[in-house]
Amino acid sequence: MRGMPSPSPLPRLLGGWGAPVLMFVIALVVAVPAAALSGATTPVVLGDAGAVVRWGLPLVGILHDLAAALTIGLLFVAAFLVPEGPSSDRRGTAARAAVGSAAVWLVTVVVGWYLSFGELAGVPPNTPGYLGDLWAATWQLEFTRLMAIEAIAVAVLLPLAAWARTKTALAWAAVLALASLAPAAYSGHSAGTVGHETAVTALGLHLVGLSVWVGGLLAIGLLLPILGPALPITVQRFSTVAGWAFAMVAVSGVLFASVTIGSPTRLGTSYGIIVLLKVGLLLLLGVAGYLQRRAIVARGVDSPRRFAWMASGELVLMSLAVGLGVVLTRTPPPQSIPKDRDIALSLTGFPMPQPWDWGQMLTAWRVDWLFAFAALTAVGLYAWGVWRLRRRGDSWPWWRLLVWVLGWGLLVYVTNGGPGVYGKVMFSIHMVEHIALMMAVPILLVPAQPITLALRALPKRRDKTLGPRELLLAVVHSRWATFFVNPIVAGTMFFASLVAFYWSGLLDWALTTHTGHVAMVVHFSITGYAFVWALIGRDPGPPKWQAPFRMLVLIATLAAHAFFGLALMQGAWLLAPEFYKTLAVPWVPDLLVDQQLGGAIAWGIGEAPTLVLMMLVAVDWMQRDSRESIRYDRKAARDDEAELRAYNARLQQLATHDRRST
Ligand code: HEM
């Protein structure tokens, strides 16, 4: 088996560019009739841009998704899954191949950008002045702007993939490749639909899941000729990743379909039928995956031939799903855009909620799937870690699991419940959301010591590859982490974020765009976590400052925070005036009063968690002191008070010296 040419042609087909090309052909074979039947190639309202555009776009779409998936798969497998042999150059081969697929990816984005303008404008590309108009409109139109951003990201990825050879460099290239999918998540049907945020989250997760899954399998196939003894462990590790990707693709696909289809009664539409076909393909993939996993776990994959047989059936099913998926993005969804879009829907992406009252504050709910999924995953992984420790007989305090669940529960309430719903239309409630994310949630999460648990629960890799545990250690001990959890830096970030966010256009951006909203929640949560960690964190990381200095930083930040609240309470100028005036929330007659209430909340509510932090720093101070004195006493007992005796001897010496010199 090892390196010997196998009799079957399959490993050779998989081991080259044959497999991605074959996938493209199979996807095309299913996409053409599906597109013709589903209306995906019917001219749009504005005008017919011609057959080249109508048929070119799905074709380029398939090539785009496959090239993106292969690039991501190659970088992911090289950075995280495949061990490097003494004389092998598996990572280099993967990176070089990724340059090739990234180049194809870039070309598809540019061609997609060129053809899409025709569809948007309803004019064929051979129209005089087409290129000039396209150039002029690129940043004006959201669709072409998104494609331009993706083109720039992939253009940056190309040299990075060409240069990257170490695990870390390949890991960064894989991160950039995954991030380059973000613009695509904002385009297509997720752009227009009601529940825009849900659609973007769903398509984003769908693209990430299928790219790692399809791309990873293709990448292992492409590296097959040089994997040799590394094949079994690489496939075993990929099989775990594939399990996660399967779940991600399934959940995100159904979530997206729930937005675009709206009700099961519409499953009979061409859009609905394609979705059902895809569900069928995913179930088949699930069965194939399950059988393989059993075979892999039972016997391991000991030959390229065996892997090739296992993978090719899956790749055929995936090609069909990719072909149908791209057609789906171009098939008119049955759920139409409501004509009477109230102003809140146009500005925030959501309809105006019921008039605010405490009942609504406690019961209003609008699922923000991104943060709901994040919370579910975080709690699930933490519980898995505790279970692993307990199963091998190690202890882990239950109260830590409790505060972890409470912390994420609070984050879900703040982003999905009343604060999340009313924070989009009322400044005062937005401030509740902000303070809770920055202070209350981290005060619950930090004491749960998730990093300590992860490092104890996650298995160590013994072949110098970057597994989850190694990745976590690399992050925790990185210079960046050391910099950001430095109390001064964390305190400054904490306060500067407030000033920068409210006295620049960032508030507007966060209130009117999905990206802005996600960036706000993520930034406030991380800044708050770093600040609280710098004060009371006990996870492995940079050495802690002495408690008195931490207390000083806390008091200084507290004062700055109070100043911020007061400035808002006294301020006579409106923040995000256009947004709030246009929104004209019926139950907020005076916007300035609501803003000043926001200032009072920032000051008032902000103080409570700060007082808790002060107490926790004081407790930590006392505990460290008592640990220090216990350590000192034990040492004194062990070495018969050597330190004290040395000190006294020194004093004796000084006294004698003084006596002599006088
Ligand atoms: C439960 C099974 C699945 C469901 C419900 C589902 C649903 C969807 C939906 C609703 C879309 C977006 C269509 C739009 O823009 O309106 C989509 C896109 C897509 N899906 Fe799936 N899907 C499923 C499984 C899969 C699988 C297994 C694959 C491939 C391995 C796949 C590949 C794709 C691709 C490539 C796109 C197009 C993404 C783009 O270019 O924007 N899907 N899917």
Side-chain angles (χ1 to χ4, degrees), residues 65 184 188-190 203 206-207 210 213-214 249-250 253-254 256-257 260 271 275 278-279 282 285 318 321-322 325-326 328-329:
D65 289 358
H189 291 140
S190 49
L203 191 54
H206 207 60
L207 286 169
L210 75 93
W213 188 17
V214 177
V249 168
V254 171
F256 197 111
T260 44
Y271 189 97
V275 167
K278 293 186 69 182
V279 172
L282 186 97
L285 281 163
M318 287 171 167
V322 168
V326 171
L328 209 51
T329 61

PDB file of all heavy atoms in Angstrom, residues 65 184 188-190 203 206-207 210 213-214 249-250 253-254 256-257 260 271 275 278-279 282 285 318 321-322 325-326 328-329, ligand 1:
ATOM      1  N   ASP A  65     -18.035  28.049  -6.185  1.00  0.00           N
ATOM      2  CA  ASP A  65     -18.197  27.328  -4.911  1.00  0.00           C
ATOM      3  C   ASP A  65     -17.224  26.159  -4.809  1.00  0.00           C
ATOM      4  O   ASP A  65     -16.689  25.885  -3.737  1.00  0.00           O
ATOM      5  CB  ASP A  65     -19.652  26.846  -4.780  1.00  0.00           C
ATOM      6  CG  ASP A  65     -20.596  28.016  -4.544  1.00  0.00           C
ATOM      7  OD1 ASP A  65     -20.111  29.160  -4.452  1.00  0.00           O
ATOM      8  OD2 ASP A  65     -21.820  27.790  -4.469  1.00  0.00           O
ATOM      9  N   ALA A 184     -20.130  36.518   0.061  1.00  0.00           N
ATOM     10  CA  ALA A 184     -21.113  35.673  -0.629  1.00  0.00           C
ATOM     11  C   ALA A 184     -22.319  35.399   0.274  1.00  0.00           C
ATOM     12  O   ALA A 184     -23.446  35.258  -0.193  1.00  0.00           O
ATOM     13  CB  ALA A 184     -20.458  34.357  -1.050  1.00  0.00           C
ATOM     14  N   GLY A 188     -27.149  37.237  -2.936  1.00  0.00           N
ATOM     15  CA  GLY A 188     -28.183  36.255  -3.275  1.00  0.00           C
ATOM     16  C   GLY A 188     -29.478  36.542  -2.526  1.00  0.00           C
ATOM     17  O   GLY A 188     -29.786  37.685  -2.181  1.00  0.00           O
ATOM     18  N   HIS A 189     -30.187  35.528  -2.217  1.00  0.00           N
ATOM     19  CA  HIS A 189     -31.516  35.712  -1.606  1.00  0.00           C
ATOM     20  C   HIS A 189     -31.404  36.243  -0.184  1.00  0.00           C
ATOM     21  O   HIS A 189     -32.338  36.835   0.338  1.00  0.00           O
ATOM     22  CB  HIS A 189     -32.272  34.386  -1.616  1.00  0.00           C
ATOM     23  CG  HIS A 189     -32.656  33.964  -2.991  1.00  0.00           C
ATOM     24  ND1 HIS A 189     -32.582  32.672  -3.419  1.00  0.00           N
ATOM     25  CD2 HIS A 189     -33.073  34.693  -4.064  1.00  0.00           C
ATOM     26  CE1 HIS A 189     -32.957  32.595  -4.680  1.00  0.00           C
ATOM     27  NE2 HIS A 189     -33.257  33.808  -5.103  1.00  0.00           N
ATOM     28  N   SER A 190     -30.272  36.073   0.471  1.00  0.00           N
ATOM     29  CA  SER A 190     -30.206  36.554   1.862  1.00  0.00           C
ATOM     30  C   SER A 190     -30.231  38.074   1.879  1.00  0.00           C
ATOM     31  O   SER A 190     -30.568  38.687   2.879  1.00  0.00           O
ATOM     32  CB  SER A 190     -28.942  36.041   2.540  1.00  0.00           C
ATOM     33  OG  SER A 190     -27.834  36.275   1.715  1.00  0.00           O
ATOM     34  N   LEU A 203     -26.696  31.284   5.486  1.00  0.00           N
ATOM     35  CA  LEU A 203     -25.894  31.056   4.278  1.00  0.00           C
ATOM     36  C   LEU A 203     -24.405  31.057   4.623  1.00  0.00           C
ATOM     37  O   LEU A 203     -23.638  30.254   4.088  1.00  0.00           O
ATOM     38  CB  LEU A 203     -26.208  32.099   3.208  1.00  0.00           C
ATOM     39  CG  LEU A 203     -25.637  31.814   1.826  1.00  0.00           C
ATOM     40  CD1 LEU A 203     -26.032  30.433   1.316  1.00  0.00           C
ATOM     41  CD2 LEU A 203     -26.064  32.883   0.820  1.00  0.00           C
ATOM     42  N   HIS A 206     -23.679  27.792   6.096  1.00  0.00           N
ATOM     43  CA  HIS A 206     -23.823  26.785   5.033  1.00  0.00           C
ATOM     44  C   HIS A 206     -22.557  26.740   4.179  1.00  0.00           C
ATOM     45  O   HIS A 206     -21.992  25.683   3.924  1.00  0.00           O
ATOM     46  CB  HIS A 206     -25.032  27.154   4.167  1.00  0.00           C
ATOM     47  CG  HIS A 206     -25.687  26.000   3.492  1.00  0.00           C
ATOM     48  ND1 HIS A 206     -26.231  24.943   4.161  1.00  0.00           N
ATOM     49  CD2 HIS A 206     -25.898  25.736   2.185  1.00  0.00           C
ATOM     50  CE1 HIS A 206     -26.755  24.081   3.307  1.00  0.00           C
ATOM     51  NE2 HIS A 206     -26.560  24.531   2.101  1.00  0.00           N
ATOM     52  N   LEU A 207     -22.098  27.932   3.785  1.00  0.00           N
ATOM     53  CA  LEU A 207     -20.902  28.006   2.936  1.00  0.00           C
ATOM     54  C   LEU A 207     -19.664  27.505   3.683  1.00  0.00           C
ATOM     55  O   LEU A 207     -18.854  26.762   3.120  1.00  0.00           O
ATOM     56  CB  LEU A 207     -20.692  29.446   2.476  1.00  0.00           C
ATOM     57  CG  LEU A 207     -21.642  29.954   1.396  1.00  0.00           C
ATOM     58  CD1 LEU A 207     -21.509  31.453   1.220  1.00  0.00           C
ATOM     59  CD2 LEU A 207     -21.396  29.233   0.079  1.00  0.00           C
ATOM     60  N   LEU A 210     -20.039  23.552   4.105  1.00  0.00           N
ATOM     61  CA  LEU A 210     -19.848  22.738   2.885  1.00  0.00           C
ATOM     62  C   LEU A 210     -18.453  22.927   2.317  1.00  0.00           C
ATOM     63  O   LEU A 210     -17.895  21.985   1.741  1.00  0.00           O
ATOM     64  CB  LEU A 210     -20.959  23.038   1.865  1.00  0.00           C
ATOM     65  CG  LEU A 210     -20.941  24.319   1.084  1.00  0.00           C
ATOM     66  CD1 LEU A 210     -20.224  24.112  -0.248  1.00  0.00           C
ATOM     67  CD2 LEU A 210     -22.365  24.797   0.795  1.00  0.00           C
ATOM     68  N   TRP A 213     -16.155  20.705   4.365  1.00  0.00           N
ATOM     69  CA  TRP A 213     -16.528  19.298   4.143  1.00  0.00           C
ATOM     70  C   TRP A 213     -16.153  18.843   2.737  1.00  0.00           C
ATOM     71  O   TRP A 213     -15.320  17.949   2.552  1.00  0.00           O
ATOM     72  CB  TRP A 213     -18.033  19.181   4.379  1.00  0.00           C
ATOM     73  CG  TRP A 213     -18.601  17.812   4.401  1.00  0.00           C
ATOM     74  CD1 TRP A 213     -17.939  16.624   4.550  1.00  0.00           C
ATOM     75  CD2 TRP A 213     -19.982  17.477   4.249  1.00  0.00           C
ATOM     76  NE1 TRP A 213     -18.827  15.583   4.502  1.00  0.00           N
ATOM     77  CE2 TRP A 213     -20.095  16.074   4.339  1.00  0.00           C
ATOM     78  CE3 TRP A 213     -21.156  18.229   4.073  1.00  0.00           C
ATOM     79  CZ2 TRP A 213     -21.313  15.420   4.235  1.00  0.00           C
ATOM     80  CZ3 TRP A 213     -22.363  17.575   3.986  1.00  0.00           C
ATOM     81  CH2 TRP A 213     -22.439  16.186   4.060  1.00  0.00           C
ATOM     82  N   VAL A 214     -16.721  19.509   1.721  1.00  0.00           N
ATOM     83  CA  VAL A 214     -16.438  19.131   0.329  1.00  0.00           C
ATOM     84  C   VAL A 214     -14.959  19.373   0.022  1.00  0.00           C
ATOM     85  O   VAL A 214     -14.263  18.514  -0.514  1.00  0.00           O
ATOM     86  CB  VAL A 214     -17.330  19.955  -0.630  1.00  0.00           C
ATOM     87  CG1 VAL A 214     -16.988  19.634  -2.076  1.00  0.00           C
ATOM     88  CG2 VAL A 214     -18.807  19.720  -0.345  1.00  0.00           C
ATOM     89  N   VAL A 249     -24.088  22.096   7.816  1.00  0.00           N
ATOM     90  CA  VAL A 249     -24.755  22.240   6.512  1.00  0.00           C
ATOM     91  C   VAL A 249     -26.247  21.944   6.639  1.00  0.00           C
ATOM     92  O   VAL A 249     -27.096  22.672   6.114  1.00  0.00           O
ATOM     93  CB  VAL A 249     -24.103  21.305   5.465  1.00  0.00           C
ATOM     94  CG1 VAL A 249     -24.940  21.210   4.203  1.00  0.00           C
ATOM     95  CG2 VAL A 249     -22.704  21.784   5.134  1.00  0.00           C
ATOM     96  N   ALA A 250     -26.574  20.903   7.397  1.00  0.00           N
ATOM     97  CA  ALA A 250     -27.991  20.524   7.545  1.00  0.00           C
ATOM     98  C   ALA A 250     -28.779  21.627   8.255  1.00  0.00           C
ATOM     99  O   ALA A 250     -29.784  22.126   7.729  1.00  0.00           O
ATOM    100  CB  ALA A 250     -28.093  19.215   8.313  1.00  0.00           C
ATOM    101  N   GLY A 253     -28.885  24.885   6.233  1.00  0.00           N
ATOM    102  CA  GLY A 253     -29.707  24.746   5.027  1.00  0.00           C
ATOM    103  C   GLY A 253     -31.189  24.833   5.367  1.00  0.00           C
ATOM    104  O   GLY A 253     -31.954  25.573   4.726  1.00  0.00           O
ATOM    105  N   VAL A 254     -31.573  24.119   6.406  1.00  0.00           N
ATOM    106  CA  VAL A 254     -32.988  24.130   6.821  1.00  0.00           C
ATOM    107  C   VAL A 254     -33.366  25.528   7.312  1.00  0.00           C
ATOM    108  O   VAL A 254     -34.442  26.047   6.992  1.00  0.00           O
ATOM    109  CB  VAL A 254     -33.226  23.067   7.909  1.00  0.00           C
ATOM    110  CG1 VAL A 254     -34.610  23.207   8.522  1.00  0.00           C
ATOM    111  CG2 VAL A 254     -33.023  21.662   7.340  1.00  0.00           C
ATOM    112  N   PHE A 256     -32.071  28.412   6.401  1.00  0.00           N
ATOM    113  CA  PHE A 256     -32.207  29.319   5.251  1.00  0.00           C
ATOM    114  C   PHE A 256     -33.516  29.043   4.526  1.00  0.00           C
ATOM    115  O   PHE A 256     -34.281  29.947   4.193  1.00  0.00           O
ATOM    116  CB  PHE A 256     -31.020  29.153   4.292  1.00  0.00           C
ATOM    117  CG  PHE A 256     -30.875  30.296   3.324  1.00  0.00           C
ATOM    118  CD1 PHE A 256     -29.817  31.176   3.393  1.00  0.00           C
ATOM    119  CD2 PHE A 256     -31.829  30.502   2.330  1.00  0.00           C
ATOM    120  CE1 PHE A 256     -29.705  32.236   2.507  1.00  0.00           C
ATOM    121  CE2 PHE A 256     -31.731  31.559   1.442  1.00  0.00           C
ATOM    122  CZ  PHE A 256     -30.657  32.426   1.534  1.00  0.00           C
ATOM    123  N   ALA A 257     -33.789  27.747   4.325  1.00  0.00           N
ATOM    124  CA  ALA A 257     -35.017  27.378   3.605  1.00  0.00           C
ATOM    125  C   ALA A 257     -36.246  27.859   4.379  1.00  0.00           C
ATOM    126  O   ALA A 257     -37.240  28.290   3.787  1.00  0.00           O
ATOM    127  CB  ALA A 257     -35.049  25.867   3.408  1.00  0.00           C
ATOM    128  N   THR A 260     -36.659  31.464   3.269  1.00  0.00           N
ATOM    129  CA  THR A 260     -37.039  31.715   1.871  1.00  0.00           C
ATOM    130  C   THR A 260     -38.330  30.996   1.479  1.00  0.00           C
ATOM    131  O   THR A 260     -39.030  31.437   0.571  1.00  0.00           O
ATOM    132  CB  THR A 260     -35.902  31.239   0.933  1.00  0.00           C
ATOM    133  OG1 THR A 260     -35.447  29.966   1.387  1.00  0.00           O
ATOM    134  CG2 THR A 260     -34.754  32.215   0.929  1.00  0.00           C
ATOM    135  N   TYR A 271     -38.663  25.941  -6.074  1.00  0.00           N
ATOM    136  CA  TYR A 271     -37.651  26.208  -5.049  1.00  0.00           C
ATOM    137  C   TYR A 271     -37.736  25.133  -3.961  1.00  0.00           C
ATOM    138  O   TYR A 271     -36.740  24.529  -3.569  1.00  0.00           O
ATOM    139  CB  TYR A 271     -37.876  27.597  -4.439  1.00  0.00           C
ATOM    140  CG  TYR A 271     -36.777  28.091  -3.527  1.00  0.00           C
ATOM    141  CD1 TYR A 271     -35.789  28.950  -3.992  1.00  0.00           C
ATOM    142  CD2 TYR A 271     -36.716  27.694  -2.192  1.00  0.00           C
ATOM    143  CE1 TYR A 271     -34.779  29.402  -3.156  1.00  0.00           C
ATOM    144  CE2 TYR A 271     -35.716  28.133  -1.349  1.00  0.00           C
ATOM    145  CZ  TYR A 271     -34.752  28.992  -1.841  1.00  0.00           C
ATOM    146  OH  TYR A 271     -33.747  29.434  -1.004  1.00  0.00           O
ATOM    147  N   VAL A 275     -35.051  22.165  -2.729  1.00  0.00           N
ATOM    148  CA  VAL A 275     -34.633  22.022  -1.323  1.00  0.00           C
ATOM    149  C   VAL A 275     -34.850  20.580  -0.859  1.00  0.00           C
ATOM    150  O   VAL A 275     -33.971  19.978  -0.246  1.00  0.00           O
ATOM    151  CB  VAL A 275     -35.394  23.011  -0.422  1.00  0.00           C
ATOM    152  CG1 VAL A 275     -35.215  22.649   1.048  1.00  0.00           C
ATOM    153  CG2 VAL A 275     -34.919  24.432  -0.665  1.00  0.00           C
ATOM    154  N   LYS A 278     -32.250  18.326  -2.120  1.00  0.00           N
ATOM    155  CA  LYS A 278     -30.996  18.496  -1.379  1.00  0.00           C
ATOM    156  C   LYS A 278     -31.053  17.800  -0.022  1.00  0.00           C
ATOM    157  O   LYS A 278     -30.071  17.236   0.452  1.00  0.00           O
ATOM    158  CB  LYS A 278     -30.706  19.984  -1.197  1.00  0.00           C
ATOM    159  CG  LYS A 278     -30.404  20.699  -2.506  1.00  0.00           C
ATOM    160  CD  LYS A 278     -29.977  22.108  -2.269  1.00  0.00           C
ATOM    161  CE  LYS A 278     -28.633  22.130  -1.616  1.00  0.00           C
ATOM    162  NZ  LYS A 278     -28.191  23.477  -1.330  1.00  0.00           N
ATOM    163  N   VAL A 279     -32.229  17.862   0.609  1.00  0.00           N
ATOM    164  CA  VAL A 279     -32.377  17.154   1.897  1.00  0.00           C
ATOM    165  C   VAL A 279     -32.130  15.663   1.670  1.00  0.00           C
ATOM    166  O   VAL A 279     -31.413  15.012   2.428  1.00  0.00           O
ATOM    167  CB  VAL A 279     -33.781  17.402   2.488  1.00  0.00           C
ATOM    168  CG1 VAL A 279     -34.006  16.525   3.714  1.00  0.00           C
ATOM    169  CG2 VAL A 279     -33.969  18.872   2.831  1.00  0.00           C
ATOM    170  N   LEU A 282     -28.498  15.085   1.266  1.00  0.00           N
ATOM    171  CA  LEU A 282     -27.793  15.172   2.550  1.00  0.00           C
ATOM    172  C   LEU A 282     -28.008  13.924   3.383  1.00  0.00           C
ATOM    173  O   LEU A 282     -27.085  13.413   4.024  1.00  0.00           O
ATOM    174  CB  LEU A 282     -28.257  16.398   3.336  1.00  0.00           C
ATOM    175  CG  LEU A 282     -27.452  16.619   4.611  1.00  0.00           C
ATOM    176  CD1 LEU A 282     -26.364  17.642   4.390  1.00  0.00           C
ATOM    177  CD2 LEU A 282     -28.298  17.003   5.784  1.00  0.00           C
ATOM    178  N   LEU A 285     -25.793  11.331   2.077  1.00  0.00           N
ATOM    179  CA  LEU A 285     -24.423  11.639   2.525  1.00  0.00           C
ATOM    180  C   LEU A 285     -24.256  11.256   3.988  1.00  0.00           C
ATOM    181  O   LEU A 285     -23.210  10.753   4.402  1.00  0.00           O
ATOM    182  CB  LEU A 285     -24.142  13.127   2.328  1.00  0.00           C
ATOM    183  CG  LEU A 285     -23.792  13.562   0.916  1.00  0.00           C
ATOM    184  CD1 LEU A 285     -23.950  15.064   0.747  1.00  0.00           C
ATOM    185  CD2 LEU A 285     -22.368  13.145   0.568  1.00  0.00           C
ATOM    186  N   MET A 318     -22.098  14.991  -3.383  1.00  0.00           N
ATOM    187  CA  MET A 318     -21.829  16.410  -3.073  1.00  0.00           C
ATOM    188  C   MET A 318     -21.912  17.271  -4.340  1.00  0.00           C
ATOM    189  O   MET A 318     -22.453  18.376  -4.326  1.00  0.00           O
ATOM    190  CB  MET A 318     -20.444  16.557  -2.443  1.00  0.00           C
ATOM    191  CG  MET A 318     -20.351  16.068  -1.016  1.00  0.00           C
ATOM    192  SD  MET A 318     -18.643  16.036  -0.483  1.00  0.00           S
ATOM    193  CE  MET A 318     -18.856  15.818   1.278  1.00  0.00           C
ATOM    194  N   ALA A 321     -25.416  18.023  -5.003  1.00  0.00           N
ATOM    195  CA  ALA A 321     -25.948  19.017  -4.053  1.00  0.00           C
ATOM    196  C   ALA A 321     -25.418  20.407  -4.370  1.00  0.00           C
ATOM    197  O   ALA A 321     -26.149  21.397  -4.290  1.00  0.00           O
ATOM    198  CB  ALA A 321     -25.578  18.611  -2.632  1.00  0.00           C
ATOM    199  N   VAL A 322     -24.148  20.499  -4.767  1.00  0.00           N
ATOM    200  CA  VAL A 322     -23.581  21.810  -5.108  1.00  0.00           C
ATOM    201  C   VAL A 322     -24.292  22.374  -6.332  1.00  0.00           C
ATOM    202  O   VAL A 322     -24.703  23.538  -6.357  1.00  0.00           O
ATOM    203  CB  VAL A 322     -22.063  21.699  -5.358  1.00  0.00           C
ATOM    204  CG1 VAL A 322     -21.523  22.974  -5.996  1.00  0.00           C
ATOM    205  CG2 VAL A 322     -21.327  21.404  -4.055  1.00  0.00           C
ATOM    206  N   GLY A 325     -27.619  23.451  -5.269  1.00  0.00           N
ATOM    207  CA  GLY A 325     -27.516  24.603  -4.374  1.00  0.00           C
ATOM    208  C   GLY A 325     -27.358  25.901  -5.143  1.00  0.00           C
ATOM    209  O   GLY A 325     -28.024  26.896  -4.855  1.00  0.00           O
ATOM    210  N   VAL A 326     -26.500  25.862  -6.159  1.00  0.00           N
ATOM    211  CA  VAL A 326     -26.273  27.089  -6.931  1.00  0.00           C
ATOM    212  C   VAL A 326     -27.530  27.465  -7.723  1.00  0.00           C
ATOM    213  O   VAL A 326     -27.910  28.634  -7.800  1.00  0.00           O
ATOM    214  CB  VAL A 326     -25.055  26.927  -7.860  1.00  0.00           C
ATOM    215  CG1 VAL A 326     -24.931  28.098  -8.808  1.00  0.00           C
ATOM    216  CG2 VAL A 326     -23.789  26.775  -7.025  1.00  0.00           C
ATOM    217  N   LEU A 328     -30.452  26.878  -6.770  1.00  0.00           N
ATOM    218  CA  LEU A 328     -31.380  27.395  -5.752  1.00  0.00           C
ATOM    219  C   LEU A 328     -31.146  28.890  -5.516  1.00  0.00           C
ATOM    220  O   LEU A 328     -32.090  29.663  -5.373  1.00  0.00           O
ATOM    221  CB  LEU A 328     -31.134  26.619  -4.447  1.00  0.00           C
ATOM    222  CG  LEU A 328     -32.295  26.427  -3.470  1.00  0.00           C
ATOM    223  CD1 LEU A 328     -33.509  25.884  -4.166  1.00  0.00           C
ATOM    224  CD2 LEU A 328     -31.860  25.539  -2.318  1.00  0.00           C
ATOM    225  N   THR A 329     -29.856  29.280  -5.533  1.00  0.00           N
ATOM    226  CA  THR A 329     -29.573  30.703  -5.256  1.00  0.00           C
ATOM    227  C   THR A 329     -30.133  31.585  -6.359  1.00  0.00           C
ATOM    228  O   THR A 329     -30.246  32.786  -6.182  1.00  0.00           O
ATOM    229  CB  THR A 329     -28.049  30.949  -5.180  1.00  0.00           C
ATOM    230  OG1 THR A 329     -27.488  30.592  -6.452  1.00  0.00           O
ATOM    231  CG2 THR A 329     -27.398  30.161  -4.092  1.00  0.00           C
TER     232      THR A 329
HETATM  233  C1  HEM B   1     -30.622  19.700   4.530  1.00  0.00           C
HETATM  234  C2  HEM B   1     -29.993  19.786   3.366  1.00  0.00           C
HETATM  235  C3  HEM B   1     -29.827  21.111   2.683  1.00  0.00           C
HETATM  236  C4  HEM B   1     -30.676  22.167   2.618  1.00  0.00           C
HETATM  237  C5  HEM B   1     -32.036  22.323   3.250  1.00  0.00           C
HETATM  238  C6  HEM B   1     -30.018  23.200   1.829  1.00  0.00           C
HETATM  239  C7  HEM B   1     -30.582  24.426   1.552  1.00  0.00           C
HETATM  240  C8  HEM B   1     -29.933  25.439   0.865  1.00  0.00           C
HETATM  241  C9  HEM B   1     -30.481  26.756   0.659  1.00  0.00           C
HETATM  242  C10 HEM B   1     -31.839  27.220   1.132  1.00  0.00           C
HETATM  243  C11 HEM B   1     -29.569  27.457  -0.050  1.00  0.00           C
HETATM  244  C12 HEM B   1     -29.626  28.935  -0.438  1.00  0.00           C
HETATM  245  C13 HEM B   1     -30.369  29.137  -1.593  1.00  0.00           C
HETATM  246  C14 HEM B   1     -30.694  30.601  -1.804  1.00  0.00           C
HETATM  247  O1  HEM B   1     -29.774  31.436  -1.904  1.00  0.00           O
HETATM  248  O2  HEM B   1     -31.857  30.883  -1.859  1.00  0.00           O
HETATM  249  C15 HEM B   1     -28.470  26.585  -0.306  1.00  0.00           C
HETATM  250  C16 HEM B   1     -27.377  26.937  -1.042  1.00  0.00           C
HETATM  251  C17 HEM B   1     -26.369  26.083  -1.319  1.00  0.00           C
HETATM  252  N1  HEM B   1     -26.230  24.783  -0.854  1.00  0.00           N
HETATM  253 FE1  HEM B   1     -27.480  23.798   0.347  1.00  0.00          FE
HETATM  254  N2  HEM B   1     -28.795  22.760   1.433  1.00  0.00           N
HETATM  255  C18 HEM B   1     -28.633  21.485   1.931  1.00  0.00           C
HETATM  256  C19 HEM B   1     -27.566  20.652   1.767  1.00  0.00           C
HETATM  257  C20 HEM B   1     -26.490  20.987   0.997  1.00  0.00           C
HETATM  258  C21 HEM B   1     -25.386  20.091   0.747  1.00  0.00           C
HETATM  259  C22 HEM B   1     -25.241  18.702   1.323  1.00  0.00           C
HETATM  260  C23 HEM B   1     -24.543  20.739  -0.098  1.00  0.00           C
HETATM  261  C24 HEM B   1     -23.242  20.311  -0.687  1.00  0.00           C
HETATM  262  C25 HEM B   1     -22.461  19.428  -0.162  1.00  0.00           C
HETATM  263  C26 HEM B   1     -25.110  22.062  -0.348  1.00  0.00           C
HETATM  264  C27 HEM B   1     -24.545  22.996  -1.165  1.00  0.00           C
HETATM  265  C28 HEM B   1     -25.069  24.271  -1.371  1.00  0.00           C
HETATM  266  C29 HEM B   1     -24.441  25.282  -2.211  1.00  0.00           C
HETATM  267  C30 HEM B   1     -23.143  25.136  -2.958  1.00  0.00           C
HETATM  268  C31 HEM B   1     -25.270  26.407  -2.178  1.00  0.00           C
HETATM  269  C32 HEM B   1     -25.051  27.730  -2.912  1.00  0.00           C
HETATM  270  C33 HEM B   1     -24.289  28.658  -2.040  1.00  0.00           C
HETATM  271  C34 HEM B   1     -23.981  29.939  -2.779  1.00  0.00           C
HETATM  272  O3  HEM B   1     -23.299  29.892  -3.755  1.00  0.00           O
HETATM  273  O4  HEM B   1     -24.401  30.993  -2.350  1.00  0.00           O
HETATM  274  N3  HEM B   1     -26.292  22.181   0.343  1.00  0.00           N
HETATM  275  N4  HEM B   1     -28.703  25.354   0.277  1.00  0.00           N
END
